[in-house]
Amino acid sequence: MSWQGKKVLVVGLGKSGRAAAAELARLGAKVTACDYKLLEGEELDALSRAGVELILGRYPEVALLRPYLVVTSPGVPSWEPPLAEARQLGIPIWSELELAYRLLPPGVKIAAVTGTNGKTTTTALCGQILQDAGLPAVVGGNIGIPLVKEIREVIPEGYVVCEVSSFQLEAIAAFRPRVAVILNITPDHLDRHGDLASYIAVKARIMAFQEPEDFAVLNYDDPATRELANKSKAQVLFFSRQQRLERGAFLKDDVIYANLGGGEVKLCHREELSLKGSHNLENCLAASLVALALGVKPEQLMDTLKTFPGVPHRLERVAGVGGVLYINDSKGTNPEATMKALEAYPNPLVLIAGGRNKGSDFTPLARKMAGRVKYLVLVGEAAPDLEQAARGAGIKHIYRASDFKDAVLEAARRALPGDIVMLSPACASWDMFKNYEERGDLFKSIVLELAGNSYGGVIHGGEPQPSKE
């Protein structure tokens, strides 16, 4: 379709909104972009120079603008005035994901990955497998690079791997991935979606427009995800680390196998995986199914499974200082993600947690911490709730930090050689930071400063060994 002269309203000027506004302006649309915050910066100046009308610090009246389309950023709740007005007026509302999908060249095969935890790692691993196999694959989406910003890199008949959030799935209208992945579903973003049933329903929308020739990759071990197979029109491929499957990917005798209908194929031994921990085993199983469904041969994906280094801010090794290993898990933004992080290493842990609660119950996390965490450092808005849950679980050694740097320095003071200091907040970053990346980057900079001041450099103790479970 031609966008020339079409009036489009972009609501929200975060990464996705800015990218959508820029691309629409390039295509000749008449773009108005708004944000209730008084934002500034070079990117906004560039949008203005490109002909985008900016409305900042308030929302426009949609009835007066009468746009052809509204494009919403994922951070904007559906009840915000411009979106509510657009629905009342019958104006289509698309997420940036939907816009990108409509702009892709013909014949592109899309793998879309969602789930409460593991999305970024699985998305990056899928992209790396495809690229290592020689396929023209582009990675984007909620992973940090808006997909609409990457579409000019996608060639006809090429491949796209995108991380997809529940916020993006709220406003899709035709988005159809060749392979849709749901890794797991546990309570998250309940402050936005209201309850778990609504959250599950939004996650399931990743499969809403698939057809029988497509694939849905689902976690057999996760009951909420397994049950979504009944809602899928696509071919369902399960993955499991607990159950041998007739069709899918699974672990048997500590060896990863896959079977897409032509018999079991051995991929590699669990110990050969570069990513450690039970959650990463699930990510590898899912990524293997994605690659195989898209035509990658088993022997082509094995090397990537053995060498993929992981992604920043997810169990990222920062430095060893005085025999203490520092782990940046800033992407652990909900209790379930932090619980998985606690299982990744057997070493005594000094845990830094806290931030903004997204409607989560911290009680199960506190019970998990009681058997793993020797000292708990809390920071941010959720610190009182976390402390209450931790003390209820019998944890006695707790410190309430005045700010983030104080939290890291206190953790460093309490750690002994052989310990791990782990930042895994179990909360969003928005009370103190723009995003989890900014939080993780500050953690790393403080740790590296500690390393530089410790006897003239980094002192590596014995290398902690990842846990199997």
Side-chain angles (χ1 to χ4, degrees), residues 49-349:
R49 291 193 298 270
V52 175
E53 180 187 358
L54 298 176
I55 299 177
L56 304 174
R58 64 182 179 88
Y59 286 135
E61 291 189 36
V62 179
L64 293 179
L65 279 177
R66 284 285 174 174
Y68 165 80
L69 172 72
V70 173
V71 176
T72 178
S73 293
V76 181
S78 60
W79 57 80
E80 285 292 280
L83 304 185
E85 291 174 35
R87 280 194 299 275
Q88 290 175 352
L89 294 168
I91 298 170
I93 302 171
W94 292 356
S95 63
E96 172 266 329
L97 175 70
E98 179 71 23
L99 174 65
Y101 173 71
R102 303 291 185 112
L103 296 177
L104 287 170
V108 173
K109 299 178 183 66
I110 301 171
V113 181
T114 196
T116 304
N117 298 302
K119 296 185 295 295
T120 299
T121 298
T122 304
T123 300
L125 176 55
C126 288
Q128 192 65 57
I129 291 173
L130 295 179
Q131 291 167 359
D132 288 350
L135 299 176
V138 170
V139 179
N142 194 60
I143 197 170
I145 308 169
L147 186 56
V148 75
K149 200 171 184 177
E150 296 291 290
I151 54 174
R152 278 178 275 170
E153 302 298 320
V154 183
I155 65 172
E157 308 297 328
Y159 296 79
V160 167
V161 184
C162 57
E163 178 183 333
V164 178
S165 73
S166 59
F167 296 170
Q168 292 172 308
L169 290 169
E170 284 180 322
I172 59 171
F175 177 69
R176 178 188 169 187
R178 172 69 168 159
V179 185
V181 182
I182 305 179
L183 294 168
N184 45 63
I185 300 178
T186 54
D188 196 20
H189 299 300
L190 300 188
D191 53 344
R192 169 88 167 243
H193 298 299
D195 55 39
L196 182 58
S198 298
Y199 177 56
I200 292 172
V202 171
K203 286 292 191 186
R205 283 179 58 77
I206 197 171
M207 306 182 297
F209 302 101
Q210 287 191 296
E211 297 295 340
E213 60 267 33
D214 300 322
F215 296 90
V217 174
L218 304 176
N219 187 343
Y220 188 88
D221 302 334
D222 181 67
T225 306
R226 183 174 67 240
E227 290 175 9
L228 292 179
N230 299 322
K231 298 181 180 294
S232 176
K233 291 185 291 185
Q235 302 171 59
V236 173
L237 299 174
F238 284 117
F239 63 91
S240 173
R241 59 186 177 91
Q242 301 172 357
Q243 180 87 24
R244 182 175 178 177
L245 304 170
E246 290 185 9
R247 184 173 167 85
F250 54 91
L251 189 70
K252 182 179 72 173
D253 299 327
D254 271 346
V255 176
I256 294 175
Y257 290 87
N259 186 349
L260 269 64
E264 292 182 4
V265 177
K266 178 179 176 181
L267 298 181
C268 67
H269 197 279
R270 176 179 183 164
E271 293 301 322
E272 295 179 285
L273 296 175
S274 60
L275 298 175
K276 305 303 180 183
S278 58
H279 61 295
N280 276 325
L281 171 59
E282 293 178 349
N283 297 337
C284 291
L285 290 168
S288 297
L289 285 177
V290 171
L292 293 170
L294 291 175
V296 176
K297 298 185 186 312
E299 58 271 19
Q300 291 178 302
L301 65 87
M302 293 181 196
D303 283 344
T304 310
L305 292 178
K306 297 174 184 178
T307 58
F308 182 71
V311 297
H313 308 294
R314 191 65 177 123
L315 289 177
E316 177 188 12
R317 298 184 182 203
V318 180
V321 186
V324 176
L325 180 63
Y326 289 78
I327 298 289
N328 168 30
D329 194 52
S330 183
K331 203 175 188 313
T333 60
N334 58 63
E336 287 72 24
T338 297
M339 290 167 69
K340 291 177 183 295
L342 297 180
E343 297 172 350
Y345 294 94
N347 303 63
L349 289 173

Side-chain angles (χ1 to χ4, degrees), residues 15-16 18 120-121 140-146 163 311-314 316 318 328-333 404 423 425 427-446:
K15 284 182 183 178
S16 295
R18 295 195 303 269
T120 299
T121 298
N142 194 60
I143 197 170
I145 308 169
E163 178 183 333
V311 297
H313 308 294
R314 191 65 177 123
E316 177 188 12
V318 180
N328 168 30
D329 194 52
S330 183
K331 203 175 188 313
T333 60
F404 191 79
L423 168 68
C427 296
S429 59
W430 306 316
D431 58 336
M432 301 172 70
F433 302 95
K434 290 188 297 184
N435 48 50
Y436 72 83
E437 294 100 332
E438 185 179 73
R439 177 171 61 188
D441 288 340
L442 179 57
F443 176 74
K444 290 192 286 186
S445 69
I446 296 170

Side-chain angles (χ1 to χ4, degrees), residues 353-380:
R356 177 165 293 171
N357 188 2
K358 297 182 286 182
S360 300
D361 177 8
F362 294 123
T363 304
L365 170 61
R367 293 188 186 125
K368 175 71 73 172
M369 285 193 286
R372 291 288 299 115
V373 176
K374 61 179 279 188
Y375 196 82
L376 178 61
V377 180
L378 299 175
V379 67

